[in-house]
Amino acid sequence: MVSKNSASAVKKSKVSDRSANTTAEITPLESEKKRKDSHIQKKDKALAVANHITKPNGVEKTVTVSENTVNKSEKASSLHQTKALAGVLSRFPIVFTKDSKYFFCCVSNTIKIYNVTSGEVVKTLSTSALQGGHRDTVTALCLNPKNPLQLYSASLDGTIKLWDYNDNILLKTHQVNLPIENMVISPQHPENAYIVTRRSGSNPETKGKTAVYRYAFQKSNQPDGLTRITKSKDSSVIAVSADGRFLATASRYRISIWEITNDKEVSKEDVRTYTSPELVTCLAFSPTEPCLAIGDEAGKITLYYCFTPETEKTPVTALMHWHHRPLNTLSFTADGVYLLSGGEEPVLVMWQLETGHKQFLPRVGGEIKSITISPNQSLYALSEADNSIRIINAVSQQIVRIIQGLQYAQVASNTYPLYTGLVIEPRNHHVVMNGVPGNIQFYNPYLDSHVLDLEVAPITRISRPDENELIFSLVRHVAFMDDGSWMATIDSRDDNVTTPELYLKFWAWDPDAQSYILKTRVDYPHSADITSLSFRHGSDSDVLMAITASADKTFKIWHLTNDLGRHHASSEASWACRSVGFYRDNTPTVTSFSQDGSMLAVAFGQVLTIWDPIANNIQGTLALPPQQCHIQRLAFLGSTPFIAVVTKSHLYVWNLLTCTVWWSYNMSIDHLAVDQQTGVFAVVCNAQDSKESRFIVFEPTSPVPKFVHTASEICKAIAWIPVENHEVSNSLLSSNIVYLNQNCDLQVLHASGDDLEVEQELEGAKLLKGNTERSFFADIFGKSNKSAEDRRWDQQRVETAEALRQEAASAPRSRATARTKQGSESTFLDAPSHVIQSVDSIFELFMDSIMPKRPDAEDRDAEMDETDEVETASHTESEAGTTFDMMAAAVPLSVQEADQDIELVPVFDSLNEFFTKTAGLVEH
């Protein structure tokens, strides 16, 4: 079946008469289009507010997440996926444009267009399945032989799409209904595509088997549009000759060659098969000679001359051998003089076929997966196993451009997990994560480009085949100072033979080299594995601190010092251990500094301890109710007095001013990330069975989700990055969410402000739900224009004042008066220890409260004079007593309560002031 895009009726690519001289001018896209909700969805979002969960003031609220609750909260989300970054670049061969200025690259379900000169992404095709893009991985690309300004793309979703890549228009979609693993199109037969498909399903007899089909574009809506040529157990290599006469496929040890015809049916007799002594890994046709080059697992290249009647049954072969590892790719130059080969060795070999002479280009970076030669024969593009594409000048044989993707994409995640997660470098907001073993990579999420590859643990990466497998060092933790001036790393290595290695390294930023330089290395900072690493926040530049927690049941605080001994100059500085802490016999699992650096939180099992990092004193402990729920993650929520704690089954938000759980959720959380600018935080819940992940964004003060987003992929790590300049005006948050999925794609989630109409409808629904009764005040003066945040604070103020009023009314006046007199004496001592001021600042106040000063002679004389004045005033009031009583009868009730020492409704300027003044007055 064929489905045409609506845009094809408006604009199509024009076919040039001189296709050889066609130049493709690629216009970069400024930003991806934002997906907007339909009018029906907006109404559904407004109705979903009634099911949101609210929390009474001061009362701990535990919420159980249900599908109904989250789904209805999700309708109110304005979180959209705007970018697909990084990904696997070298999995499939690239394709050059006709003028060799740009090339196309398959990245997940998208197609990225790179500029050869600058190496930047200028455009992305198939960005969204909702806009006609592919729903699964794109596996093959081919230029349209009829029009070089059009591009064919094949995908595992069973479709072949035709694009006008210059204008980013989808022209046509062909439904094959079989997952396509490879595709080639002959220039002499552009009406047909030859594809390799693989069966899927639950039937073990047919699952995994492959077949080669001929797909006729003009007969796509007919039953005979798809014709099977051959089938095999495992076949993914396919090639077509330059003259369009022959098609060759490889399946393990068998090579199949078919002479292309326009017959409807293909019989087995039409397909010739040859057997190879080694496993076939790649093949390529010579553009000038009737020759097929075959590469195998032993590193050998065999030339088959089998396209004449004399050599069909007994082909003439020629053997060339240099590679010691399996071959991955073969490619002929356009004149047929040279054959380029690449394999597991980081060496490009150029064979001169007539003379047998070999040229080598060593140290190209890594294992070569595929080789693509530009149409003008001036460039070689090498797709390598380290997820990079290297552009080589064919004349000078120099690497002119390197396009590097995420290095972690080529690492076996089961053997080398993503220990570091996603860490944001504060200077330029680059994403920092594990690269190849022993390295960390800096990636720019705004330009979608590689920035820096830092080798933390230098090691040898190549071994002989007869040697044991190398055990690499692993970078387990990375942390940055607030200003990016210092970076700390933890790397370890254990081969189970020698003594395990464990290093703590501090790196300083070098503005001249634009990189981090190693300044301090601490060997064996702990006697066991390190579980956490973090720097101290705050603006106090005189005290630079870092903390490490270990399985040896201790945590250590490190500081930068100049006191290195007499053998060092006074100007030298190094990091040294300042103090060692422990809590009973428990093991610290995770640590975190507060935003201002005044508090340090260390989790020991189910106990959260609060420390003073300067005085090295414990300030308090917060224990979770279930003993078996150990703390796995914790983070201070910006500059707010809240801290988020994650266990195996719960999310807790603690208020450090009251030392109580402010609210909690019963949910299993895989990842936690905090936007330190605002205190907003996001949690991720992965569903491994359905291969989905749910992103929930909270504010510290409310258990009601601010945003909910569901993605049909697994999230492996998450972080916050500041929004771009062009997104500031329409963004509902100051930062975007960036996460890494199982395909090593960096996805960006943006809270778009384009849904303000939906937000207004949601606010209107809240007002209708909360205020169903009409009032004369609203009819006369209209409804209030206060925001939801202001109304929530007003409600909390009213509830606080009501609680104060009821308490004062129920208690005797004597007790209320005594409480008023003793308020100043006990309030500052009733607060938690970690928020009380230092002893020297409150000593005099405390002593004055328990030991009043004895008045001297002058004070006694002044007191006697005041007593005489009070007696005179009392005599005057007694004369007008009747008038005073009559006036008191007309005084409103609120003023009478004020005379009974009852305070009016308090007004607070900030959240901290509200918590401080209401702590202990309202029962939580």
Side-chain angles (χ1 to χ4, degrees):
M1 298 296 293
V2 180
S3 60
K4 296 184 178 181
N5 190 282
S6 59
S8 62
V10 180
K11 185 174 183 179
K12 294 184 178 180
S13 300
K14 296 182 180 180
V15 181
S16 175
D17 295 334
R18 297 188 298 174
S19 59
N21 298 327
T22 302
T23 300
E25 295 295 338
I26 309 296
T27 304
L29 291 179
E30 295 182 358
S31 62
E32 304 292 342
K33 296 182 178 179
K34 305 289 192 307
R35 179 174 59 88
K36 298 183 179 180
D37 297 322
S38 63
H39 182 67
I40 298 178
Q41 290 175 333
K42 292 180 180 180
K43 291 183 178 180
D44 293 340
K45 292 180 180 181
L47 295 176
V49 180
N51 296 279
H52 280 330
I53 303 174
T54 59
K55 166 188 169 298
N57 181 35
V59 179
E60 177 186 347
K61 184 68 174 180
T62 301
V63 185
T64 302
V65 178
S66 63
E67 292 294 333
N68 187 31
T69 302
V70 176
N71 288 338
K72 293 180 180 179
S73 299
E74 187 175 359
K75 293 181 180 180
S77 171
S78 298
L79 217 57
H80 306 305
Q81 180 179 325
T82 59
K83 288 184 179 180
L85 309 174
V88 182
L89 308 181
S90 59
R91 182 178 179 183
F92 304 103
I94 70 168
V95 175
F96 281 95
T97 57
K98 200 69 176 180
D99 59 359
S100 303
K101 293 183 178 179
Y102 305 90
F103 67 86
F104 306 93
C105 181
C106 303
V107 182
S108 189
N109 61 334
T110 65
I111 305 167
K112 293 185 178 181
I113 307 177
Y114 286 87
N115 187 304
V116 174
T117 304
S118 63
E120 297 179 352
V121 179
V122 296
K123 188 176 292 187
T124 303
L125 306 177
S126 181
T127 56
S128 174
L130 300 177
Q131 298 177 0
H134 288 286
R135 299 186 306 273
D136 208 336
T137 304
V138 180
T139 56
L141 300 173
C142 295
L143 288 177
N144 187 0
K146 296 181 179 180
N147 184 358
L149 294 179
Q150 296 177 357
L151 179 73
Y152 281 107
S153 62
S155 171
L156 294 178
D157 61 5
T159 62
I160 301 175
K161 295 182 182 292
L162 180 62
W163 302 87
D164 180 350
Y165 59 82
N166 194 32
D167 296 319
N168 198 1
I169 297 176
L170 176 62
L171 302 176
K172 189 177 294 185
T173 299
H174 300 270
Q175 296 289 346
V176 182
N177 298 324
L178 290 173
I180 303 173
E181 290 196 347
N182 204 346
M183 177 183 68
V184 294
I185 299 177
S186 172
Q188 281 67 32
H189 300 279
E191 67 278 359
N192 297 326
Y194 303 95
I195 59 177
V196 178
T197 65
R198 186 180 300 272
R199 290 285 182 179
S200 60
S202 58
N203 189 354
E205 297 181 358
T206 60
K207 184 178 180 180
K209 291 188 176 180
T210 59
V212 180
Y213 288 89
R214 177 185 62 197
Y215 182 80
F217 293 117
Q218 299 177 355
K219 300 180 180 179
S220 56
N221 56 351
Q222 300 179 10
D224 57 350
L226 190 65
T227 304
R228 189 177 68 183
I229 298 174
T230 181
K231 62 178 180 178
S232 59
K233 185 177 181 180
D234 185 11
S235 175
S236 59
V237 183
I238 186 171
V240 63
S241 61
D243 57 3
R245 290 184 55 196
F246 298 96
L247 180 74
T249 62
S251 173
R252 298 179 65 82
Y253 299 92
R254 187 179 66 178
I255 303 122
S256 301
I257 300 176
W258 175 62
E259 186 173 0
I260 296 176
T261 61
N262 293 327
D263 298 337
K264 296 182 180 180
E265 298 294 337
V266 179
S267 60
K268 295 182 179 180
E269 292 75 13
D270 297 334
V271 180
R272 290 180 289 158
T273 59
Y274 302 96
T275 303
S276 171
E278 300 291 343
L279 183 69
V280 180
T281 57
C282 54
L283 49 83
F285 277 99
S286 172
T288 57
E289 298 291 335
C291 171
L292 176 66
I294 297 173
D296 57 35
E297 195 176 31
K300 301 177 183 178
I301 302 175
T302 306
L303 302 179
Y304 276 75
Y305 296 90
C306 56
F307 299 100
T308 60
E310 295 81 9
T311 59
E312 286 185 357
K313 294 184 179 180
T314 57
V316 178
T317 60
L319 181 64
M320 300 184 299
H321 190 195
W322 178 87
H323 296 272
H324 299 277
R325 295 278 188 165
L327 277 167
N328 293 328
T329 179
L330 295 171
S331 182
F332 284 90
T333 57
D335 55 6
V337 177
Y338 290 94
L339 173 65
L340 277 63
S341 64
E344 291 188 5
E345 304 92 350
V347 179
L348 175 64
V349 183
M350 293 166 281
W351 305 81
Q352 191 175 19
L353 298 179
E354 293 184 0
T355 62
H357 178 70
K358 299 183 292 292
Q359 293 181 359
F360 303 96
L361 183 59
R363 297 181 295 275
V364 294
E367 177 184 354
I368 301 174
K369 304 294 290 185
S370 65
I371 302 173
T372 304
I373 303 176
S374 63
N376 60 7
Q377 305 296 305
S378 63
L379 301 173
Y380 302 150
L382 309 183
S383 299
E384 301 187 357
D386 62 349
N387 196 22
S388 67
I389 299 174
R390 283 170 167 78
I391 307 299
I392 299 175
N393 189 305
V395 179
S396 64
Q397 296 186 3
Q398 298 293 324
I399 299 177
V400 297
R401 181 64 57 189
I402 299 177
I403 295 93
Q404 178 69 61
L406 291 183
Q407 295 178 344
Y408 184 75
Q410 58 96 16
V411 177
S413 59
N414 296 331
T415 306
Y416 305 102
L418 188 65
Y419 290 109
T420 62
L422 298 184
V423 184
I424 304 302
E425 188 263 333
R427 299 179 63 88
N428 302 300
H429 308 294
H430 294 156
V431 176
V432 182
M433 57 183 293
N434 286 110
V436 296
N439 291 25
I440 56 175
Q441 182 183 11
F442 292 68
Y443 198 86
N444 190 332
Y446 303 103
L447 299 180
D448 193 8
S449 62
H450 165 81
V451 177
L452 176 65
D453 180 24
L454 185 62
E455 190 175 38
V456 177
I459 54 175
T460 303
R461 304 187 183 280
I462 299 178
S463 62
R464 297 181 180 274
D466 54 347
E467 294 180 351
N468 296 329
E469 184 180 358
L470 293 177
I471 304 299
F472 301 111
S473 296
L474 302 178
V475 181
R476 296 184 177 272
H477 300 279
V478 176
F480 289 92
M481 194 76 75
D482 276 350
D483 56 358
S485 58
W486 287 94
M487 177 184 71
T489 60
I490 300 291
D491 63 277
S492 63
R493 180 180 179 272
D494 187 6
D495 58 0
N496 295 323
V497 177
T498 59
T499 304
E501 301 174 12
L502 182 63
Y503 302 103
L504 168 63
K505 298 177 181 179
F506 292 93
W507 310 71
W509 173 257
D510 188 352
D512 297 331
Q514 289 295 301
S515 179
Y516 284 91
I517 307 299
L518 180 62
K519 292 296 183 180
T520 303
R521 191 188 80 173
V522 182
D523 297 354
Y524 302 102
H526 289 270
S527 59
D529 291 338
I530 295 178
T531 59
S532 179
L533 170 67
S534 60
F535 273 100
R536 178 175 181 259
H537 303 285
S539 59
D540 188 3
S541 59
D542 295 334
V543 182
L544 301 182
M545 291 184 181
I547 182 173
T548 57
S550 173
D552 61 2
K553 300 182 180 181
T554 64
F555 66 89
K556 294 183 179 181
I557 296 180
W558 308 81
H559 71 139
L560 186 64
T561 178
N562 295 324
D563 187 11
L564 303 179
R566 61 181 181 178
H567 299 290
H568 298 270
S570 59
S571 59
E572 295 184 18
S574 178
W575 288 82
C577 182
R578 181 176 183 267
S579 59
V580 180
F582 61 92
Y583 180 75
R584 298 180 179 176
D585 196 33
N586 297 337
T587 301
T589 55
V590 61
T591 63
S592 178
F593 280 98
S594 62
Q595 184 71 9
D596 59 356
S598 62
M599 287 187 291
L600 169 64
V602 183
F604 291 88
Q606 66 163 2
V607 180
L608 177 63
T609 59
I610 307 298
W611 301 73
D612 182 352
I614 304 297
N616 299 327
N617 296 328
I618 187 170
Q619 301 295 312
T621 59
L622 307 174
L624 301 180
Q627 296 183 0
Q628 67 276 12
C629 293
H630 291 181
I631 298 175
Q632 299 177 347
R633 300 172 184 85
L634 68 88
F636 283 90
L637 304 182
S639 59
T640 66
F642 297 99
I643 183 171
V645 177
V646 175
T647 65
K648 183 178 180 181
S649 59
H650 281 78
L651 165 66
Y652 298 95
V653 175
W654 286 80
N655 185 349
L656 295 181
L657 294 179
T658 60
C659 291
T660 57
V661 176
W662 202 244
W663 56 270
S664 65
Y665 260 99
N666 182 8
M667 59 193 308
S668 178
I669 296 175
D670 296 281
H671 304 286
L672 168 70
V674 180
D675 181 11
Q676 295 296 341
Q677 297 182 12
T678 60
V680 175
F681 67 100
V683 297
V684 181
C685 306
N686 288 328
Q688 299 291 342
D689 297 337
S690 59
K691 301 296 182 181
E692 290 184 349
S693 58
R694 180 160 290 161
F695 300 80
I696 309 175
V697 179
F698 292 100
E699 289 182 337
T701 57
S702 174
V704 179
K706 188 176 180 65
F707 300 105
V708 178
H709 177 78
T710 302
S712 57
E713 53 195 5
I714 298 299
C715 174
K716 302 181 68 174
I718 185 175
W720 291 83
I721 57 174
V723 297
E724 300 185 54
N725 293 331
H726 67 273
E727 296 176 337
V728 174
S729 58
N730 68 336
S731 178
L732 299 179
L733 296 174
S734 61
S735 302
N736 290 334
I737 295 176
V738 57
Y739 70 94
L740 183 73
N741 62 14
Q742 74 274 13
N743 298 324
C744 289
D745 302 324
L746 286 176
Q747 304 286 353
V748 178
L749 299 179
H750 174 68
S752 174
D754 295 337
D755 293 337
L756 292 180
E757 180 182 350
V758 177
E759 298 296 332
Q760 293 175 358
E761 293 181 6
L762 295 176
E763 299 298 336
K766 292 181 181 180
L767 292 176
L768 291 176
K769 184 178 184 299
N771 301 320
T772 57
E773 297 182 1
R774 297 177 57 185
S775 63
F776 291 104
F777 183 85
D779 293 340
I780 296 174
F781 297 101
K783 295 182 179 180
S784 174
N785 292 327
K786 290 185 178 181
S787 62
E789 183 71 13
D790 294 336
R791 287 194 297 272
R792 189 170 68 221
W793 283 116
D794 291 344
Q795 181 65 21
Q796 291 181 350
R797 291 169 183 168
V798 171
E799 293 177 358
T800 302
E802 182 64 24
L804 292 172
R805 193 184 307 276
Q806 292 179 0
E807 183 179 358
S810 60
R813 181 171 181 176
S814 59
R815 294 178 55 188
T817 305
R819 185 174 62 253
T820 303
K821 294 181 179 179
Q822 298 175 359
S824 60
E825 302 175 3
S826 59
T827 300
F828 64 89
L829 291 180
D830 290 341
S833 59
H834 57 274
V835 298
I836 296 179
Q837 297 181 359
S838 59
V839 177
D840 55 351
S841 62
I842 65 174
F843 177 76
E844 294 184 0
L845 178 62
F846 177 73
M847 295 303 295
D848 292 342
S849 64
I850 62 176
M851 299 178 62
K853 292 182 178 181
R854 179 178 299 176
D856 52 14
E858 295 181 358
D859 294 338
R860 287 195 297 270
D861 295 340
E863 185 177 357
M864 292 177 63
D865 295 341
E866 292 179 359
T867 304
D868 296 339
E869 294 178 359
V870 171
E871 291 179 355
T872 304
S874 301
H875 178 70
T876 304
E877 287 183 4
S878 62
E879 296 178 353
T882 306
T883 306
F884 179 80
D885 295 338
M886 294 178 62
M887 293 178 62
V891 173
L893 180 61
S894 59
V895 178
Q896 292 181 358
E897 292 178 351
D899 293 339
Q900 299 176 6
D901 296 334
I902 299 177
E903 299 179 359
L904 297 178
V905 178
V907 179
F908 307 103
D909 296 331
S910 64
L911 180 62
N912 293 338
E913 183 181 357
F914 169 77
F915 288 139
T916 304
K917 292 185 177 181
T918 59
L921 297 180
V922 183
E923 295 183 359
H924 292 271

